[in-house]
Amino acid sequence: MNFAVFASGNGTNLQAIIKALKKGKINANLALVLSDNKEAYALKRAKRAKIKTVVVEAKNFSSREDYDAEIVKILEQEKIDFIVLAGFMRIITSVLINNFRNKILNIHPALLPSFKGTHAIVDAFNYGVKVTGVTVHFVDEKMDHGPIILQGSVKVEEDDTAETLEAKIHKIEHKIYPEAIRLFSEGKIKIEGRKARIA
Ligand code: GRF
């Protein structure tokens, strides 16, 4: 199976995925890294690993739907079977979701359904939770909502700061995202209603 990673920023999750691929832990082909941000460090990581990259900038499109239609065209050209969102900072529309129903994975740095949104780590920290974590889930029309594939928990210690907590969360992300991709690419995840069951 061919897959694409979408990333807007640093790309540490992309790096963890590349590492897992190199170690033979994921039996799929990372055919494309797509970004909306030409400055994304993720693109440098992809190029270093000799993975094809493409930048699609929002400013060239008049609506989110048009943007996503262009992406669908690119994904079809590259024969992409599934998509991995790794810090892709755009809301995606039904144009993309309908073309890749239950074939888009996302990682969110909190234990969903708690702390949705773009500031999940700081939100959880400021709320004073004692346990937070990471969620890998399928993407549907609602933000941070689709069936949950894997979760990993992180304890918030008394001496943690938002920064130390973030570091702990990233560490778990880099473990569970490659694992979720492995399970998906091996056809081991079955969706039944809200539940993603792992065979
Ligand atoms: C991660 O924390 C992920 O959970 C969130 O965006 C961040 C991306 O980090 N969706 P990176 O670009 O992979 O380093």
Side-chain angles (χ1 to χ4, degrees):
M1 281 214 273
N2 287 327
F3 71 105
V5 170
F6 289 13
S8 302
N10 190 355
T12 62
N13 280 283
L14 168 67
Q15 195 70 61
I17 294 162
I18 291 171
K19 192 169 164 197
L21 285 161
K22 281 198 178 139
K23 284 190 174 166
K25 288 187 177 170
I26 301 171
N27 190 14
N29 174 41
L30 175 48
L32 186 71
V33 170
L34 183 145
S35 186
D36 58 329
N37 171 16
K38 61 180 185 332
E39 308 297 340
Y41 192 67
L43 292 168
K44 290 212 173 74
R45 297 181 192 270
K47 283 178 188 148
R48 212 189 292 145
K50 304 207 171 8
I51 296 157
K52 187 166 183 174
T53 61
V54 61
V55 176
V56 186
E57 291 187 281
K59 64 172 189 212
N60 300 327
F61 299 88
S62 56
S63 69
R64 290 189 188 283
E65 285 75 16
D66 286 353
Y67 182 95
D68 283 359
E70 172 66 16
I71 287 186
V72 168
K73 222 164 75 187
I74 295 169
L75 298 174
E76 281 170 358
Q77 274 163 12
E78 300 296 329
K79 302 195 170 17
I80 298 298
D81 299 301
F82 69 97
I83 300 165
V84 171
L85 304 181
F88 189 58
M89 300 307 287
R90 283 184 62 81
I91 293 170
I92 65 173
T93 70
S94 54
V95 172
L96 184 57
I97 295 168
N98 284 334
N99 275 278
F100 287 86
R101 177 69 56 192
N102 298 331
K103 291 177 183 167
I104 308 175
L105 280 62
N106 184 43
I107 190 157
H108 182 76
L111 292 175
L112 290 175
S114 290
F115 305 108
K116 296 178 180 181
T118 46
H119 308 291
I121 299 172
V122 169
D123 290 349
F125 181 76
N126 288 342
Y127 196 87
V129 297
K130 304 288 186 190
V131 178
T132 182
V134 173
T135 303
V136 180
H137 65 96
F138 287 107
V139 171
D140 65 10
E141 279 79 1
K142 293 187 199 154
M143 192 177 66
D144 299 329
H145 176 265
I148 291 169
I149 300 168
L150 291 177
Q151 289 186 307
S153 63
V154 171
K155 256 181 106 173
V156 184
E157 305 290 350
E158 292 304 325
D159 60 355
D160 265 323
T161 62
E163 289 73 32
T164 60
L165 182 60
E166 184 175 356
K168 287 187 196 172
I169 286 193
H170 284 318
K171 212 167 156 193
I172 303 292
E173 288 187 329
H174 301 160
K175 265 198 208 142
I176 74 168
Y177 216 1
E179 173 64 3
I181 296 166
R182 180 186 75 78
L183 291 167
F184 182 78
S185 61
E186 291 176 3
K188 296 207 165 125
I189 308 174
K190 298 275 171 286
I191 299 179
E192 292 168 18
R194 246 224 71 84
K195 292 191 180 137
R197 295 198 179 279
I198 297 172

